[in-house]
Amino acid sequence: MAREIRKQDFRRINEYLWELPTSFDPRMNVPVRIYADEELLEDALGDLSVHQAVNAASLPGLVGAVVVMPDVHMGYGFPIGGVMASKVPGGIISPGAIGYDINCGVRLLATNLTEEQVAPHLAELATRIYHNCPSGVGSEGHVPLTARQLDEVLAEGARWALRHGYARPEDLECTEEFGCMPNADPDKATPKAKERGKDQLGTLGAGNHFIEVDVVDEIFDPVAAERMGLFKGQVAVQIHCGSRGFGHQICTDYLQRFERVIHKYGIKLPDKELMCAPIDSPEGQDYIKAMACAANFAFCNRQILAHYIRKSFEEVLKPKGIAHDVWQVYDIAHNMGKIETHEIDGQRMTVCVHRKGATRAWGPGSPGLPKKYADIGQPVLIPGSMGTASYVLLGTPGSMAQTFGSTCHGAGRVMSRAQAKREIRGEKLKAELESQGIVVRAGSMAGLAEEAPRAYKDVSRVVEVVHHAGIAKKVARLRPIAVIKG
């Protein structure tokens, strides 16, 4: 039986940061640090997510601390909202600590339109987006791929979409990794993963994935907002999805492969779900290359969806003579393992940063940022739960110093999907959202219930924690006016 973790076991570093020292458990190689206010810490202790972080802290080759974000909740082996870094070479890589939906990410598109211009056409626009962007479990997209084309997507990511007319060059400039992980090797992706992915490009999927039409209703940092092209009253669109069945299968296949070989590396696991391999082992290197394939599939997937969202605006607004443009603000990835260089305990180190349900949040001057954002930092996109606010933030020097350049990724669940479906009726929720002026297009009322606002923490509270802790900076708040779900 795992030892109970209580609030008094933590050392409070400041108002928003708590540490569980290595003395708490002799297995821990690094401490666990949690970003939270008092109430969010209590929420975190309400499930086994902190126990999962303690287990992860016992893995070999970790440096710094296991970091837990305020939107934390239980995941497979490692908490969703967890960040850890392992030495390169000498550390490990863990598929479970990266996640099944590799590069589940968020893309923000902005328009030159105001809410008043769009409101008369919103219902038609939502219907058109729902039609053009297939959603739901097992959905198939408008871009079926041959085996050769799928390998090209896995190697090129969003560059493939650009070559085939689904992207603007500036879209790739404003995408994390510029839309392509360079070390992808399609030969390391399993045949089963390729079979699952071949018809899913340009699809939204189900679960917590969505497309949302929003209005910018608050600006906190006018300079940064202007750089991003954001203004109060503006209509914007968020896309939240990932690598679909392809990425899920990559995680499944490599967990099984690692399990067959872990004994030869002498690694003792506190939890089988934290299955891992040395990062410089053949198995570890193969997983990194396969994971990059899944990441590239997701970058291309969101790019295709962005294309069809632009097409939807064109189909609805052009016949009405409404001039419009839809441009990309940024695209960010969660559920990734990345080789990066960070200063840890006063020393520059190359590490593999595992971000599971956490967002890269690089500060000003970081390498790899678009020129337009180099001096202000990386845009960070924090979607809320359905019907609640979302936020645009910036990475900061604080995130680089404290969290391996990472911050939160959303609101974070407080209710399981099964519990939400038991307690919430999708039809009633749809009526409630529509009574608030939010147009809903959903293929499943049960799926709608799973994502009810009541099933999540308060995203504004989560954002206040990371803002005041200095690991992200508020730029703008978005209010939903239409939600499209599977």
Side-chain angles (χ1 to χ4, degrees), residues 172-392:
L172 275 64
E173 175 72 12
C174 289
T175 299
E176 189 169 324
E177 303 296 340
F178 304 106
C180 180
M181 294 284 282
N183 56 345
D185 182 350
D187 289 340
K188 304 305 180 185
T190 61
K192 192 169 183 180
K194 291 181 179 182
E195 179 62 27
R196 290 186 68 181
K198 65 183 176 62
D199 297 321
Q200 291 190 326
L201 196 64
T203 65
L204 187 61
N208 64 342
H209 296 163
F210 63 80
I211 295 171
E212 190 173 274
V213 183
D214 296 306
V215 173
V216 178
D217 77 344
E218 192 70 51
I219 299 290
F220 304 104
D221 184 332
V223 173
E226 184 177 8
R227 188 72 61 86
M228 297 179 195
L230 300 178
F231 59 89
K232 194 167 182 178
Q234 174 187 27
V235 170
V237 183
Q238 289 184 90
I239 308 167
H240 180 206
C241 69
S243 48
R244 304 289 280 110
F246 180 85
H248 194 283
Q249 194 64 46
I250 291 292
C251 182
T252 298
D253 292 340
Y254 275 87
L255 283 169
Q256 292 171 353
R257 183 177 172 191
F258 284 13
E259 186 174 2
R260 291 194 295 269
V261 301
I262 192 170
H263 65 276
K264 74 179 181 182
Y265 297 116
I267 297 172
K268 304 295 184 186
L269 293 176
D271 182 349
K272 184 179 173 182
E273 293 182 356
L274 285 170
M275 191 60 59
C276 60
I279 198 163
D280 38 355
S281 68
E283 297 84 6
Q285 287 297 303
D286 284 356
Y287 170 71
I288 288 173
K289 293 169 184 175
M291 178 192 63
C293 288
N296 287 345
F297 186 96
F299 283 135
C300 193
N301 189 36
R302 290 195 291 275
Q303 185 62 60
I304 301 291
L305 288 169
H307 169 81
Y308 279 100
I309 288 168
R310 285 174 171 144
K311 186 174 188 286
S312 300
F313 273 81
E314 185 82 1
E315 289 172 347
V316 172
L317 300 181
K318 188 176 180 180
K320 299 171 176 62
I322 300 173
H324 67 281
D325 187 25
V326 181
W327 66 88
Q328 184 160 311
V329 176
Y330 204 64
D331 179 294
I332 53 97
H334 318 134
N335 298 1
M336 294 277 274
K338 291 195 177 181
I339 309 302
E340 300 174 357
T341 301
H342 291 276
E343 186 168 315
I344 302 164
D345 299 326
Q347 190 176 1
R348 296 289 290 176
M349 298 181 67
T350 300
V351 292
C352 179
V353 182
H354 297 59
R355 296 186 181 97
K356 182 176 182 179
T359 308
R360 193 184 76 170
W362 282 4
S366 297
L369 294 186
K371 290 178 183 176
K372 68 185 291 187
Y373 299 137
D375 62 330
I376 63 170
Q378 177 204 306
V380 173
L381 311 173
I382 308 297
S385 52
M386 189 170 45
T388 69
S390 298
Y391 288 83
V392 181

Side-chain angles (χ1 to χ4, degrees), residues 88-111:
V88 178
I92 54 87
I93 190 159
S94 172
I98 287 166
Y100 275 94
D101 191 2
I102 297 165
N103 189 2
C104 172
V106 184
R107 179 171 297 217
L108 179 63
L109 306 172
T111 77

Side-chain angles (χ1 to χ4, degrees), residues 26-95:
R27 303 172 303 159
M28 293 169 65
N29 295 316
V30 295
V32 171
R33 293 189 184 132
I34 300 183
Y35 287 85
D37 59 22
E38 301 248 5
E39 183 177 318
L40 289 171
L41 181 62
E42 296 284 358
D43 283 345
L45 295 174
D47 63 19
L48 294 178
S49 54
V50 182
H51 285 278
Q52 291 183 322
V54 169
N55 285 339
S58 73
L59 292 173
L62 298 193
V63 294
V66 171
V67 177
V68 177
M69 296 298 167
D71 55 337
V72 67
H73 53 289
M74 280 177 61
Y76 179 89
F78 193 54
I80 297 165
V83 181
M84 68 182 193
S86 59
K87 291 186 287 188
V88 178
I92 54 87
I93 190 159
S94 172

